[in-house]
Amino acid sequence: MKYLNIFLALILTGGFLTSCEDDMDPKVPGDAVSPVLEAPASGETYVLQKIDEENQLTSIVFSEADFKLDVVTEYTVEVDDADGSFEFSRVVATGVNSPIDLKVGTFNKSLLNLGYEGGEAHNIQLRVVAGNHLASEPITMNVTTYFDAEPWSVIGSAVGGWDTANDQYMSYDKVNDVYHITLDMVPGDFKFRAPKKDDGGDPWKYNLGLEGGSIIIDNGENIVLKDGGDNVKCSGGNYTITLDVTNSKFTIVQNSAGEFTNWTDVVLDAVGSGVSGDHPDAIADPSGWGWGNVLLPDNEGKPSADGSTYTWTWTGIILEANEGFKLRTQNGEASPVNGMSFDVGFGAVDTDNSSDKVADNGGNITVTEKGEYLITLVIDAATGDAKAVTIKEYVKFPNELYFVGTNNGWDNAAPHYIGISNAEEGKYLGFLTLADDSEVKILTNPGSWDGYGAGANAGELAAGGGNIVMLNQPGYDGAGQYIVKFDINLLTIELVKITSVAIVGDGANPGWPDDGAGTNQGVELTYDETNKKFTGTVGFNAAGEWKFRFNNSWDYNLGNNDKDLTKLTPGGGNFDTPGAGDKTVSLFLESTAQYNATVE
């Protein structure tokens, strides 16, 4: 099968061809057999959309004609209006063979070039003609074309999230040169973007947001936008939005307000005999329940909010083994903020994403081993105040963090790995290819937006902060490959540009580096930008050890204590030589996987 290209000279010239007979053509025998269109079926309806332009629309399948002569047969695909006789038919494609896999964009462009208006439904006929003489019976179809304008979308927590699956594409009005959409949105943030416009695949390269900071706008006309501006906030409900990309402005009308519970400032507590009194902030339950101890979550018991989603977190709560507890509104009473009260037990626990030490205790929650845990309770006001609890073993500094940003198209489901370099102090080493427009955030878990962003000043981080503009960080020195140093204890960030990556050690050199003398600095690897790896040919010795070192400094080196090339760690142990001879070594530092290497 082959995909039909955009009709060569037809599309290049923007003209159309008409079929005719040449008096010089030979007579066709009376028993000649015409081609038969086998697919698509007649009477189908197709609504073409710009966002589907690379998708297959249908396959045109037809049987071969038989001229009863020794001739080479060429086939042409023609269209005409539904009430036409093909006297002045228009050629869609010529010199083709069955089957033809027809893309949405290909068919749309051909119809536009043949004079059919964009944005309208057209009743047409389609047939196949062999050698300009034998035509198949035509099929009919109703096709709605689209204006070939760049698709823009609404994206953000207000429409479900910031991933490509959440893009809400807008319709284009050619007459007024604007985009529009009517949709439901929950309380949250949104922006406008053209996710398919960048040839390099960056869905955020072309985006529009507010000037002068992020604010709630439920109704407004001709609101000014700017490239890369701040998020627009909304209160939730049903909205009609009109976007004028040409003049960088938009209009929003709230058709109806949403009905969502406001959980802002509602205080919760954890209560029960399972809440250990060993925690310095735990106190005996003062409520009418009189059950064990209580402990407020972080932030004085109040939630963080992201649109309609509210999250309470107990960091480092100490839980007793095989004792029960619940999570509830403070003291089990209705909150003075919204008049709501609840308590949840094991039935609300997301067991798939919780520690395997979490268990059911007669409907209450328990753990099988005493220790420090991290508990989160999430309420989604947009889904009827649905509640979900996750309980994980608490680790002060996780073994790994993750980059999300322009480096991976802001895909938080597939962020890039960052390795820990000092587990006691919360220090990490990441690796990134940076440019002047690079921005990132640091995530604690894939699929979540929890983590760290920009602090108040360059070189500073903040929990839940905004995008980190790498151009502004200490150590940035132009586009290239960088070591990114994080300290999530002190909340700092620093960049170190990579000037060398080398295989060091007596397994591939006369000896280990003597930095004072400047000898044995190793076999240099070069960066392969296409495959995002450092690579090179290394002549290994018959015996000895080796590892990776950066910038001729022991501050930055990778190895593994178990000699495992698939799990490189900062400061890890040496590797044994693979044996005498030349080997290709490749080092992979920018992916979802842990730092790894191959020796082949």
Side-chain angles (χ1 to χ4, degrees):
M1 288 188 172
K2 62 181 180 180
Y3 279 111
L4 180 61
N5 289 327
I6 299 176
F7 322 120
L8 304 175
L10 170 66
I11 297 304
L12 293 175
T13 62
F16 64 90
L17 305 177
T18 58
S19 61
C20 62
E21 289 196 22
D22 190 326
D23 292 338
M24 299 302 292
D25 284 346
K27 296 297 182 182
V28 178
D31 59 347
V33 180
S34 299
V36 176
L37 256 175
E38 299 171 353
S42 187
E44 294 288 341
T45 297
Y46 301 97
V47 178
L48 312 183
Q49 298 186 76
K50 175 73 173 178
I51 58 174
D52 298 325
E53 65 180 351
E54 291 301 319
N55 297 338
Q56 182 175 328
L57 175 67
T58 188
S59 289
I60 299 175
V61 181
F62 53 90
S63 63
E64 292 186 356
D66 184 358
F67 278 88
K68 305 299 182 178
L69 298 170
D70 187 15
V71 294
V72 176
T73 305
E74 288 193 350
Y75 295 92
T76 299
V77 178
E78 299 178 348
V79 296
D80 199 358
D81 298 335
D83 57 357
S85 62
F86 286 93
E87 181 180 1
F88 298 104
S89 60
R90 287 163 280 194
V91 174
V92 169
T94 189
V96 293
N97 293 295
S98 178
I100 306 167
D101 286 344
L102 190 61
K103 289 186 177 181
V104 170
T106 298
F107 197 39
N108 189 76
K109 288 179 181 178
S110 71
L111 293 178
L112 295 182
N113 277 276
L114 293 171
Y116 291 99
E117 272 303 310
E120 295 183 6
H122 303 280
N123 290 312
I124 63 173
Q125 303 177 80
L126 181 146
R127 71 178 186 178
V128 174
V129 180
N132 206 33
H133 290 279
L134 298 178
S136 70
E137 288 296 320
I139 61 171
T140 61
M141 59 177 65
N142 180 276
V143 183
T144 300
T145 53
Y146 59 83
F147 301 114
D148 199 13
E150 196 64 50
W152 280 78
S153 70
V154 177
I155 183 75
S157 59
V159 294
W162 297 93
D163 300 326
T164 52
N166 304 116
D167 280 299
Q168 305 298 309
Y169 285 96
M170 312 178 77
S171 299
Y172 179 64
D173 177 352
K174 182 179 181 181
V175 174
N176 297 301
D177 189 26
V178 294
Y179 296 80
H180 58 84
I181 189 171
T182 297
L183 77 172
D184 292 328
M185 295 197 291
V186 300
D189 294 16
F190 68 91
K191 294 184 76 172
F192 303 101
R193 71 176 185 177
K196 298 177 179 291
K197 186 173 182 179
D198 178 41
D199 293 337
D202 180 1
W204 283 104
K205 185 168 184 179
Y206 301 95
N207 74 88
L208 296 171
L210 293 175
E211 284 191 330
S214 181
I215 58 173
I216 294 176
I217 304 177
D218 287 323
N219 290 280
E221 293 185 16
N222 297 323
I223 301 160
V224 176
L225 299 168
K226 72 173 184 178
D227 291 340
D230 295 309
N231 297 346
V232 185
K233 294 181 179 293
C234 70
S235 301
N238 182 267
Y239 294 85
T240 296
I241 299 173
T242 303
L243 172 66
D244 182 346
V245 175
T246 303
N247 296 300
S248 296
K249 60 184 181 180
F250 81 103
T251 294
I252 182 169
V253 176
Q254 187 182 51
N255 302 312
S256 60
E259 296 182 4
F260 307 104
T261 306
N262 181 9
W263 292 96
T264 305
D265 293 334
V266 171
V267 177
L268 306 186
D269 63 29
V271 61
S273 56
V275 178
S276 177
D278 292 345
H279 193 288
D281 295 327
I283 62 172
D285 179 17
S287 74
W289 290 27
W291 181 28
N293 299 305
V294 297
L295 182 68
L296 298 181
D298 305 346
N299 192 34
E300 299 179 333
K302 301 174 183 178
S304 61
D306 182 9
S308 62
T309 302
Y310 299 84
T311 303
W312 291 261
T313 304
W314 287 259
T315 302
I317 184 174
I318 302 173
L319 300 177
E320 297 286 348
N322 304 313
E323 295 286 342
F325 71 95
K326 284 189 171 183
L327 307 177
R328 65 181 184 179
T329 48
Q330 190 174 25
N331 295 324
E333 300 172 352
S335 169
V337 175
N338 62 6
M340 303 288 286
S341 67
F342 71 86
D343 63 79
V344 294
F346 185 77
V349 175
D350 179 358
T351 54
D352 290 340
N353 292 299
S354 294
S355 167
D356 58 9
K357 294 182 172 67
V358 179
D360 188 358
N361 183 292
N364 299 322
I365 309 169
T366 192
V367 292
T368 57
E369 182 179 313
K370 180 177 179 177
E372 289 186 277
Y373 290 84
L374 176 69
I375 300 177
T376 59
L377 186 152
V378 177
I379 293 181
D380 187 352
T383 57
D385 297 326
K387 301 170 182 68
V389 176
T390 58
I391 304 173
K392 299 181 179 181
E393 293 160 79
Y394 175 62
V395 178
K396 186 175 182 181
F397 301 119
N399 288 330
E400 56 199 58
L401 295 172
Y402 303 89
F403 284 122
V404 66
T406 51
N407 60 302
N408 76 330
W410 292 101
D411 183 1
N412 73 332
H416 289 182
Y417 171 90
I418 305 169
I420 194 164
S421 60
N422 188 318
E424 298 298 319
E425 299 180 5
K427 295 181 178 179
Y428 298 79
L429 288 184
F431 297 88
L432 277 179
T433 297
L434 299 178
D436 290 351
D437 60 353
S438 295
E439 297 184 14
V440 302
K441 283 189 172 183
I442 305 162
L443 306 182
T444 52
N445 289 292
S448 166
W449 288 103
D450 294 337
Y452 304 87
N457 301 300
E460 295 179 0
L461 300 175
N467 296 353
I468 303 169
V469 179
M470 304 305 269
L471 173 69
N472 298 334
Q473 304 312 311
Y476 185 80
D477 187 28
Q481 287 68 52
Y482 281 83
I483 300 167
V484 187
K485 300 166 63 176
F486 297 105
D487 187 323
I488 62 171
N489 183 37
L490 299 178
L491 294 178
T492 60
I493 177 175
E494 180 185 352
L495 307 180
V496 177
K497 194 167 191 179
I498 296 175
T499 57
S500 72
V501 179
I503 304 296
V504 298
D506 57 9
N509 302 274
W512 288 88
D514 183 339
D515 292 332
T519 57
N520 295 328
Q521 293 300 308
V523 181
E524 292 278 345
L525 304 182
T526 57
Y527 188 67
D528 175 354
E529 185 153 359
T530 301
N531 297 298
K532 300 292 184 184
K533 66 179 181 179
F534 287 93
T535 188
T537 301
V538 179
F540 284 98
N541 299 326
E545 296 181 321
W546 63 279
K547 70 186 315 185
F548 298 97
R549 193 168 84 141
F550 299 80
N551 293 5
N552 297 332
S553 170
W554 285 114
D555 289 343
Y556 314 111
N557 69 90
L558 294 175
N560 182 273
N561 292 340
D562 297 320
K563 303 183 185 299
D564 185 351
L565 282 168
T566 67
K567 296 179 179 179
L568 303 180
T569 58
N574 303 335
F575 299 103
D576 294 328
T577 176
D582 289 345
K583 302 285 185 181
T584 299
V585 178
S586 296
L587 174 62
F588 300 89
L589 302 173
E590 298 179 72
S591 74
T592 57
Q594 186 168 343
Y595 310 139
N596 61 91
T598 58
V599 178
E600 300 172 321

